[in-house]
Amino acid sequence: MLSRSHVLRALAEASGAFGVYEQRASEQAEHYAALLRRYEQLDEEQIRSLVAAVPRPGALPTPERQAGRAVVLPFATHWDDHRAARTWARDTLAGVTTIAVDGSQITPDAAFSIPLGAVQVGWFENPHREAEPYVKDLAFSLVTPEELTVPSENPFSYPEQLVGLMRFERECAQLQELMYYAAERGREALALLDGSFIISFAAHVEPRLKLRYARAAQAVLRCSCDTGVPVIGYVDSSDAHDVTNLLRYVAGERDEPQIGDARLLSSSLRWGDRTELWHCARDDGLADEPQLREHYDQVCLCYLKTTSHLPPARVELPCWVAEQGRVERVLDLLRAECVVGLGYPYAIETADALAVITMQDRESFYRLVQEYLAQQGVPLRYARKAASKRVRR
């Protein structure tokens, strides 16, 4: 049981640390705002020349970089009220099929003598045509004991890592299936993935799993190019430092930035505004493994303001979208989705609601497993301490 008085006392004791942190953050913000102003005076060629000795400086400018122009590109459309915004969104999305996929997972419970996991993937397909209904559906699959007991150097974290990987793979596979289907119908479409194509987190997983993460992300980007269906990796709360790293390398500074891209750019953006595009050139734990990071070079990114009071979202796009001059149309579709979703893409929000597995759902899952195994005569041991906790909670 959490004691309110103890928490408040601990917070009071640590109050000085909060002030120090905020002061340092403010100083970083001011410093990097100055670096950004210097950056804005340079063109693409000058910037690339300044960071030529850095293999992966975090990000690299695209042809959108023009000397003397701010990195923020204003959204020209404005409305007097939300009703007008929704009308614009409806007209923008009319006839466009929006696709979103999201997933959830159940990791193995150490209290059970039989390891078992599960993955649930939900998807939403909206044709935005009056005569055609939208599609909401989901798929549920088990991660079996045989899959979870593969020999590993880290037997404690491997099961959870494997279930997380299988969720990502199935999200990517489902998204591709829907993209191919949309392309076959010959209609304009937009696919949305809740998350990033830049798989830095895979640097911390088992070596045998890293390549599978990369292949799944690469397959989505390849599918987008093959079908002509733009796909967006949407990160609502990003702490990425790709742009701030680029700024420090351009300025010739050694210390790594403590401020993220979204916080740095937030104050310069109004609703609907975006930044110019950058090529992703992140230097992470995968940087020395070409098979794992080759798709990074196929990803462009920008930051888009989708709420009035929160930092901008990170938006990732395949580079072919920019090369074909389709960025503005694609981002207008995304803006329209965010109008409908009140600051968050409606399609992703719907897919998330389908896929989510709550704590109550997890309890139901384990009860069903117990009942089924008992009917099959399969012996199942359950740790007494864990059983006691479940009863108390």
Side-chain angles (χ1 to χ4, degrees), residues 39 41-52 61 67-68 250:
Y39 175 92
Q41 302 310 307
L42 306 173
D43 62 23
E44 179 188 6
E45 184 177 346
Q46 290 172 313
I47 293 165
R48 286 181 175 268
S49 176
L50 287 169
V51 299
V250 168

Side-chain angles (χ1 to χ4, degrees), residues 1-280:
M1 176 179 176
L2 188 67
S3 168
R4 183 175 185 272
S5 62
H6 284 73
V7 172
L8 291 175
R9 187 181 307 128
L11 286 170
E13 291 171 355
S15 61
F18 301 140
V20 170
Y21 175 84
E22 189 57 34
Q23 176 63 28
R24 289 175 179 170
S26 297
E27 291 171 356
Q28 274 269 305
E30 292 177 7
H31 179 61
Y32 271 84
L35 296 186
L36 181 61
R37 289 191 293 271
R38 289 165 55 186
Y39 175 92
E40 290 174 332
Q41 302 310 307
L42 306 173
D43 62 23
E44 179 188 6
E45 184 177 346
Q46 290 172 313
I47 293 165
R48 286 181 175 268
S49 176
L50 287 169
V51 299
V54 183
R56 302 195 68 80
L60 285 168
T62 67
E64 287 191 339
R65 170 88 302 261
Q66 296 179 20
R69 189 180 76 174
V71 299
V72 173
L73 304 181
F75 180 49
T77 304
H78 298 283
W79 312 284
D80 295 327
D81 52 44
H82 195 70
R83 182 178 180 179
R86 291 182 70 86
T87 298
W88 175 86
R90 181 198 63 205
D91 294 343
T92 300
L93 290 167
V96 179
T97 301
T98 53
I99 301 160
V101 174
D102 200 4
S104 193
Q105 66 201 51
I106 298 174
T107 53
D109 189 334
F112 280 94
S113 59
I114 297 177
L116 189 65
V119 171
Q120 182 163 278
V121 173
W123 60 91
F124 180 57
E125 185 181 15
N126 191 346
H128 292 103
R129 293 170 179 258
E130 292 184 5
E132 293 183 40
Y134 57 76
V135 175
K136 292 182 180 180
D137 208 347
L138 58 84
F140 184 89
S141 56
L142 295 177
V143 185
T144 65
E146 183 178 4
E147 293 171 303
L148 290 166
T149 52
V150 175
S152 167
E153 295 177 3
N154 193 344
F156 297 103
S157 64
Y158 181 82
E160 291 192 4
Q161 290 181 6
L162 179 64
V163 174
L165 166 64
M166 295 179 75
R167 168 186 166 177
F168 184 73
E169 288 179 326
R170 289 170 192 181
E171 287 175 353
C172 291
Q174 184 61 50
L175 194 61
Q176 291 171 71
E177 181 179 326
L178 296 171
M179 290 162 70
Y180 278 116
Y181 181 55
E184 287 173 359
R185 287 178 292 177
R187 298 176 182 173
E188 185 179 10
L190 174 66
L192 298 161
L193 180 71
D194 185 15
S196 176
F197 297 117
I198 307 305
I199 55 169
S200 297
F201 57 86
H204 306 292
V205 304
E206 286 269 329
R208 75 188 73 192
L209 304 184
K210 292 179 184 179
L211 186 56
R212 287 174 60 179
Y213 268 112
R215 285 173 175 165
Q218 290 163 9
V220 172
L221 295 171
R222 192 162 49 247
C223 176
S224 175
C225 184
D226 292 345
T227 61
V229 175
V231 62
I232 284 175
Y234 188 88
V235 184
D236 183 50
S237 299
S238 172
D239 192 38
H241 291 63
D242 298 328
V243 176
T244 52
N245 266 311
L246 173 61
L247 295 179
R248 68 119 165 174
Y249 283 121
V250 168
E253 298 193 352
R254 301 176 106 188
D255 295 338
E256 294 185 4
Q258 302 303 308
I259 184 172
D261 303 344
R263 175 165 180 171
L264 172 65
L265 298 165
S266 184
S267 62
S268 303
L269 294 158
R270 297 188 306 169
W271 195 98
D273 291 350
R274 73 166 176 99
T275 66
E276 65 190 35
L277 291 176
W278 287 279
H279 288 292
C280 180

